[in-house]
């Protein structure tokens, strides 16, 4: 629970910034007043989902790819929360949300690809070090 | 370096002496390696006590405030905390790999990673253990890498 709360606090901080910018954009460009409480509650709900997705993604239970898929599924409802807060000001077309889900999926996939490549390099190095150590131990034994 | 082994039926305990001009890196390494064999702890199975040497131990795992030592095919309950074991086995191949585990690096067969960045070590007895990213630099240095 403590770990989840730590993730939640960080997520809430980073979620509040784009929420604030989006609200400012709507106020300035569309001249519509956004309710502060509504936006804050929205940011809180979104942070709950995102931090939960992060915890699931990092979880040591289940297989890695299952956690990755679950993490993505958990993130999706945040977009519906976003649509509920900003309504038609941001989502002018009904299908826009599905396009955003797709875009987020692509970004998520790219991020996963980059991360797994980075970790693979690390694991390859560890395997190489392990092999070197085994070889040197064998030589010492001889 | 000369290595001499004297066998005698009268000797009760094996003793190793290092004769050197100066305690350099090589001597330090020899001392460290010998320490690995010298440190023993006791483990319990069904009320019976057994002596465990580090080279037998695959890993220590802490479950519900109890610590267990896993050998190739046996599990011993150890009456010590993980941090105490960490102190005892300092300068040996036994290192902390996550919050609840101490692993013997010499028992690792290979490493692998999964899509969510989780790192696993496959042991010589085909068991899998999870390595926390926090401890990877220490592991790397134990294996002779330059990290840390």
């Amino acid at each position: 629970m403590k770990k989840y709360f730590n993730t939640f606090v960080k997520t809430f901080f980073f979620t509040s910034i784009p929420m604030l910018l989006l609200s400012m954009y709507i106020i300035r460009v569309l001249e519509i007043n956004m309710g502060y409480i509504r936006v804050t509650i929205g940011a809180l709900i979104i942070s709950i989902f995102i931090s939960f997705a992060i915890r699931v993604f990092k979880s040591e239970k289940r297989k890695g790819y299952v956690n990755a898929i679950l993490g993505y599924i958990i993130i999706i409802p945040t977009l519906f929360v976003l649509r509920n807060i900003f309504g038609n000001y941001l989502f002018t077309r009904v299908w826009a949300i599905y396009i955003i889900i797709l875009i987020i999926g692509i970004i998520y996939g790219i991020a996963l690809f980059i991360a797994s490549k980075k970790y693979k390099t690390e694991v390859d190095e560890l395997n190489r070090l392990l092999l070197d150590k085994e070889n040197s131990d064998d030589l010492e034994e001889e | 370096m000369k290595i001499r082994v004297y066998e005698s039926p009268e000797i009760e305990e094996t003793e190793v002496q290092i004769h050197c001009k100066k305690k350099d890196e090589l001597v330090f390494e020899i001392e460290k390696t010998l320490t690995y064999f010298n440190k023993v702890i006791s483990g319990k199975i069904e009320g019976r006590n057994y002596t465990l040497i580090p080279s037998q131990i695959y890993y220590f795992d802490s479950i519900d405030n109890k610590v267990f030592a896993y050998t190739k095919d046996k599990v011993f309950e150890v009456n010590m905390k993980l941090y105490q074991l960490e102190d005892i086995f300092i300068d040996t191949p036994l290192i902390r790999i996550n919050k609840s585990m101490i692993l013997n690096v010499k028992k690792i067969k290979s490493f692998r990673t999964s899509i969510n960045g989780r790192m696993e070590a496959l042991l010589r007895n085909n068991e899998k253990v999870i390595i926390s990213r926090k401890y990877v630099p220490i592991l790397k240095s134990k294996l002779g890498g330059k990290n840390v």
Side-chain angles (χ1 to χ4, degrees):
Chain A
M1 200 63 196
K2 195 183 160 193
K3 268 186 183 178
Y4 177 78
F5 191 70
N6 279 340
T7 317
F8 171 75
V9 172
K10 284 175 200 161
T11 315
F12 183 58
F13 174 75
F14 288 109
T15 312
S16 300
I17 298 166
M19 292 290 273
L20 196 76
L21 292 172
L22 277 173
S23 305
M24 277 168 70
Y25 166 79
I26 290 166
I27 293 166
R28 286 281 173 108
V29 178
L30 304 172
E31 291 178 359
I32 294 157
N33 217 353
M34 295 298 300
Y36 173 76
I37 295 171
R38 191 180 172 83
V39 174
T40 310
I41 291 172
L44 273 168
I45 297 168
I46 288 171
S47 306
I48 289 169
F49 277 112
I50 294 175
S51 42
F52 184 50
I54 293 168
R55 294 304 330 157
V56 169
F57 181 78
K58 284 184 172 176
S59 170
E60 290 176 354
K61 292 168 194 163
R62 295 176 296 272
K63 289 200 179 292
Y65 68 89
V66 176
N67 286 341
I69 294 166
L70 280 175
Y72 175 61
I73 292 168
I74 295 166
I75 285 174
I76 292 172
T78 60
L79 291 167
F80 290 95
V81 177
L82 210 64
R83 186 168 72 170
N84 197 280
I85 303 163
F86 297 110
N88 294 332
Y89 316 129
L90 273 183
F91 300 87
T92 46
R93 299 275 187 275
V94 180
W95 44 261
I97 195 156
Y98 301 106
I99 300 290
I100 295 171
I101 289 172
L102 194 73
I103 292 166
I104 286 180
I106 292 165
I107 295 168
Y108 189 77
I110 292 167
L112 273 182
F113 177 74
I114 294 166
S116 66
K117 208 162 183 186
K118 183 194 151 198
Y119 293 140
K120 202 184 169 298
T121 318
E122 203 171 31
V123 164
D124 287 346
E125 198 196 337
L126 281 171
N127 278 323
R128 186 186 56 77
L129 287 169
L130 194 69
L131 203 71
D132 288 350
K133 201 165 177 66
E134 273 174 17
N135 288 341
S136 67
D137 286 351
D138 287 348
L139 278 173
E140 275 169 26
E141 275 171 27
E142 277 171 23
Chain B
M1 188 171 67
K2 287 173 186 167
I3 299 170
R4 294 191 187 97
V5 180
Y6 295 104
E7 279 181 89
S8 168
E10 288 156 20
I11 296 170
E12 283 180 5
E13 195 186 355
T14 308
E15 189 183 329
V16 180
Q17 279 186 17
I18 305 167
H19 298 268
C20 61
K21 198 172 184 178
K22 198 185 161 197
K23 198 176 175 182
D24 58 9
E25 210 172 301
L26 179 73
V27 178
F28 182 70
E29 278 296 314
I30 297 166
E31 201 181 4
K32 221 166 78 174
T33 312
L34 290 170
T35 310
Y36 173 59
F37 296 100
N38 199 28
K39 288 174 177 173
V40 291
I41 55 156
S42 76
K44 227 192 275 179
I45 298 182
E46 291 167 1
R48 286 187 71 180
N49 279 307
Y50 296 88
T51 303
L52 296 166
I53 55 166
S55 57
Q56 289 178 314
I57 300 161
Y58 275 63
Y59 59 92
F60 291 104
D61 195 6
S62 168
I63 305 161
D64 298 331
N65 285 325
K66 281 181 181 174
V67 176
F68 298 94
Y70 292 75
T71 60
K72 194 179 178 184
D73 46 16
K74 286 189 179 76
V75 183
F76 298 86
E77 193 184 331
V78 179
N79 203 11
M80 286 173 121
K81 299 279 178 203
L82 275 186
Y83 69 87
Q84 291 173 317
L85 290 166
E86 238 183 327
D87 284 344
I88 291 172
F89 295 116
I90 199 160
D91 288 334
T92 71
L94 284 129
I95 55 157
R96 183 73 79 112
I97 55 153
N98 63 44
K99 210 174 149 188
S100 65
M101 224 178 242
I102 292 173
L103 175 72
N104 189 344
V105 175
K106 285 191 181 282
K107 304 294 179 191
I108 301 172
K109 201 196 265 180
S110 65
F111 296 97
R112 67 177 202 180
T113 184
S114 57
I115 197 165
N116 63 345
R118 190 171 65 191
M119 193 184 277
E120 278 178 355
L122 179 68
L123 307 183
R124 291 183 193 277
N125 60 352
N126 290 324
E127 272 191 68
K128 284 174 196 163
V129 290
I130 289 165
I131 301 167
S132 171
R133 298 234 147 247
K134 192 180 153 189
Y135 299 98
V136 170
I138 303 162
L139 180 67
K140 220 180 252 185
S141 76
K142 265 293 177 216
L143 290 171
K146 279 178 185 167
N147 219 323
V148 175

